[in-house]
Amino acid sequence: MRNIWTVARKELSSYFHSPIAYIILTVFAVISGYFFVSILSLFVRQSLMAAQYAEMGQSVHMNVNEMVIRPLLMNVSVISLFLVPMITMRLFAEEKKTGTIELLMTSPLTDLQIILGKFFAALLLYAILLGITFLHALLLFHYGNPDWKPLAVGYLGMLLLGGCFMAWGLMISTLTRNQLVAGLLTFGLFLMLWVIPWVNDYSSGVSGQVASYLGITTHLENFAKGVLDLRDAVYYLSVIGLGLFLTARSVESVRWRA
């Protein structure tokens, strides 16, 4: 475990010794902040209208979790689709480009320790991104009364989604020494997993059901609603496990060549 943490700390440090982390954090903070302000403004306007309806004897139910937190998390997942490839593209590609991959492969570290160290470093950076949106949630708790349990489930779903992105981005980074190529391939894969449920719109058969299940955002919707479904958790953990397994096989071939 100590070796895994050593690798993770080195990778996380390298993020913040380059402009990558600061650019990602700034872009994420600006875009997520814009979405939060827009969603909150809409909620405030709807609340004012609901108050007017209440004066006329009509009851309108307003739920902060459903009308603010849930759309915010779904929008954050869209932002992640574009930014996560910037996190994962350098993990192995840079090692290959700079020639340090041979040193890494001949070190006393095992393949699993290297992979998990890099995986957790990327996931920690992603968790820091989510921490920015948590500041938005704290404002809601200060001025409103949202339910914390659906919020916790939603963030759990976002972490699992991030784990899927990191595992497969890590795997793609082992395939090339060009960071730009790794980033584009990662984005292409994520986009395919994002849009594949659309097949269900024009195919109601088995193919549509399979496509809907494979869609990475299909399982996020329940988490965003605050519903903890074991099937969704198993899906994400399986995708993460498969991504790390394929990464291990790819790294094993790199070690053999080194």
Side-chain angles (χ1 to χ4, degrees):
M1 190 64 187
R2 183 174 60 183
N3 289 337
I4 295 175
W5 170 243
T6 300
V7 175
R9 186 173 56 187
K10 171 186 172 296
E11 290 295 331
L12 196 61
S13 175
S14 66
Y15 278 122
F16 287 95
H17 280 88
S18 68
I20 295 177
Y22 301 102
I23 292 174
I24 294 174
L25 287 169
T26 301
V27 171
F28 183 87
V30 171
I31 298 177
S32 63
Y34 169 78
F35 280 131
F36 175 72
V37 171
S38 299
I39 295 170
L40 188 60
S41 298
L42 178 61
F43 178 77
V44 170
R45 290 197 299 268
Q46 291 175 334
S47 298
L48 293 175
M49 293 177 61
Q52 293 176 353
Y53 287 135
E55 293 178 356
M56 294 184 293
Q58 300 179 13
S59 177
V60 179
H61 179 67
M62 302 292 294
N63 188 293
V64 177
N65 290 83
E66 284 291 326
M67 303 180 70
V68 178
I69 295 176
R70 179 184 172 189
L72 176 63
L73 291 179
M74 295 304 296
N75 284 323
V76 167
S77 67
V78 176
I79 305 172
S80 302
L81 175 68
F82 292 90
L83 294 185
V84 166
M86 296 179 61
I87 298 176
T88 61
M89 65 183 186
R90 58 168 298 279
L91 290 173
F92 276 101
E94 187 179 43
E95 302 273 9
K96 290 184 175 183
K97 184 178 181 180
T98 58
T100 56
I101 189 68
E102 287 80 7
L103 294 175
L104 187 63
M105 292 295 101
T106 55
S107 69
L109 299 171
T110 65
D111 291 348
L112 184 62
Q113 289 172 341
I114 295 171
I115 292 168
L116 290 180
K118 289 178 175 291
F119 171 77
F120 285 125
L123 192 60
L124 280 172
L125 181 56
Y126 180 76
I128 294 173
L129 295 181
L130 291 183
I132 296 175
T133 64
F134 189 71
L135 296 177
H136 302 153
L138 290 179
L139 287 176
L140 296 178
F141 279 101
H142 182 72
Y143 292 103
N145 188 31
D147 190 350
W148 69 269
K149 292 181 180 178
L151 178 64
V153 172
Y155 274 98
L156 174 61
M158 290 299 301
L159 278 176
L160 290 173
L161 176 70
C164 294
F165 284 164
M166 300 306 162
W168 284 89
L170 185 64
M171 189 276 291
I172 292 175
S173 184
T174 64
L175 303 178
T176 177
R177 65 176 61 241
N178 190 308
Q179 295 186 42
L180 181 59
V181 172
L184 290 174
L185 289 176
T186 302
F187 174 74
L189 175 62
F190 293 169
L191 185 61
M192 183 183 69
L193 292 174
W194 195 279
V195 303
I196 196 172
W198 297 357
V199 174
N200 196 37
D201 293 338
Y202 54 83
S203 177
S204 57
V206 176
S207 60
Q209 295 176 359
V210 171
S212 179
Y213 180 79
L214 292 177
I216 201 165
T217 55
T218 303
H219 303 273
L220 181 63
E221 293 176 358
N222 283 334
F223 281 102
K225 295 175 184 176
V227 178
L228 183 57
D229 193 324
L230 184 60
R231 292 172 297 180
D232 298 322
V234 169
Y235 167 84
Y236 281 128
L237 293 175
S238 300
V239 172
I240 293 171
L242 180 59
L244 293 178
F245 172 78
L246 294 178
T247 303
R249 299 286 73 79
S250 180
V251 170
E252 185 179 347
S253 67
V254 172
R255 182 183 288 274
W256 182 79
R257 291 194 298 270

